Amino acid sequence: MLRLDRYLSNATALTRSQAQRAVRGGRVMVEGETVKLGATLIPLDARVSLDGEPVTPPRPRYVMLHKPPGVVCATEDPSHRTAIDLLDLPNPAGLHFAGRLDIDATGLVLITDDGQWSHRIVSPARHCDKCYRVGLDRDPTDEELLQLRTGLRLRGEEKPTRPAKLESIKPGEWLITLSEGRYHQVKRMFAAVGCKVISLHRESIGQLALDTQLKVGQYRNLTLDEIGLF
């Protein structure tokens, strides 16, 4: 189900406010009946017309972005460029993030307007793996690696972290895979053992890896097979 005004703004060139005015003006029909309330919930397969012309149902959008540093994962921000600003997509209203990255982090970001799909990615109950390449000011000791791999308690939290997977790439650079998504978790976990994160790059979410053909700041639509991974 989707609000009628959002349905129209997603499926046509109308903005949300223009769609609301069109509805109030009696220009919109749903299943052959005039509807004048923009907040009316309708199924995505409803027959909708605007000024007598049928409106094609909006299709959910699924986007992979190679996030650059200095960009925030937000729909709006008064001080910084947002990841949504990087997308040349019509009707960006309704788009949201299936997992955010910090402003200084780079890598894979998934953007969609399918709430059920994104919930399967970010829901704590799903334990969806996320892999990051991390640059550190020093390598963890064997004892510190054991703490990270078995779980440790972060400051201000009662439950310890879930076990993490760690793999050394080269001195000062590691891959860490988490199955949860706490606030600033990677940085806080390494800080808890005395290591400082210098760089943070998300490589993959679940079985979906960042497309190596995407340059920093570029994006593309997901394939049907990629959408079906979640």
Side-chain angles (χ1 to χ4, degrees):
M1 303 289 282
L2 193 65
R3 282 176 57 119
L4 178 56
D5 52 6
R6 175 168 289 179
Y7 179 104
L8 289 169
S9 66
N10 287 350
T12 71
L14 297 178
T15 65
R16 188 77 171 272
S17 60
Q18 289 171 335
Q20 291 169 346
R21 288 196 294 271
V23 174
R24 291 196 300 269
R27 298 166 53 196
V28 180
M29 300 182 74
V30 178
E31 299 294 345
E33 301 289 334
T34 300
V35 178
K36 292 191 174 183
L37 183 63
T40 302
L41 293 177
I42 65 170
L44 287 177
D45 59 356
R47 289 188 297 111
V48 179
S49 62
L50 172 65
D51 296 330
E53 297 294 326
V55 176
T56 302
R59 293 184 178 181
R61 293 168 288 181
Y62 308 89
V63 174
M64 169 189 295
L65 169 69
H66 187 166
K67 178 191 170 301
V71 169
V72 295
C73 287
T75 54
E76 295 181 359
D77 189 282
S79 304
H80 302 92
R81 196 176 190 193
T82 74
I84 299 297
D85 294 333
L86 301 178
L87 310 181
D88 184 19
L89 297 178
N91 308 316
L95 291 172
H96 60 273
F97 300 92
R100 300 169 183 264
L101 283 177
D102 298 343
I103 186 171
D104 56 348
T106 62
L108 176 61
V109 169
L110 299 177
I111 303 172
T112 184
D113 49 14
D114 184 341
Q116 292 183 344
W117 185 80
S118 61
H119 178 74
R120 292 195 291 271
I121 297 173
V122 302
S123 171
R126 296 278 181 166
H127 302 308
C128 181
D129 283 352
K130 299 175 182 64
C131 180
Y132 303 84
R133 186 170 72 246
V134 186
L136 300 173
D137 64 341
R138 67 169 178 83
D139 288 321
T141 65
D142 289 344
E143 181 180 348
E144 291 165 348
L145 286 173
L146 180 62
Q147 294 180 60
L148 293 165
R149 286 174 171 145
T150 56
L152 48 77
R153 184 170 286 108
L154 300 177
R155 180 177 297 179
E157 297 189 11
E158 295 184 1
K159 292 182 62 175
T161 59
R162 289 177 57 83
K165 302 173 185 176
L166 285 104
E167 176 187 348
S168 176
I169 301 174
K170 61 183 182 181
E173 191 167 307
W174 292 77
L175 287 180
I176 180 170
T177 302
L178 307 178
S179 59
E180 57 185 345
R182 305 190 192 188
Y183 180 73
H184 292 322
Q185 183 170 351
V186 175
K187 294 178 180 178
R188 293 170 66 204
M189 286 180 67
F190 281 109
V193 296
C195 295
K196 181 179 180 180
V197 171
I198 305 300
S199 63
L200 180 64
H201 179 88
R202 184 153 63 197
E203 299 269 343
S204 63
I205 298 175
Q207 299 179 54
L208 180 59
L210 178 64
D211 189 335
T212 57
Q213 300 301 309
L214 285 181
K215 297 180 181 179
V216 177
Q218 291 184 332
Y219 66 93
R220 67 164 173 83
N221 294 323
L222 296 186
T223 66
L224 289 178
D225 286 343
E226 290 171 336
I227 295 168
L229 291 174
F230 304 99

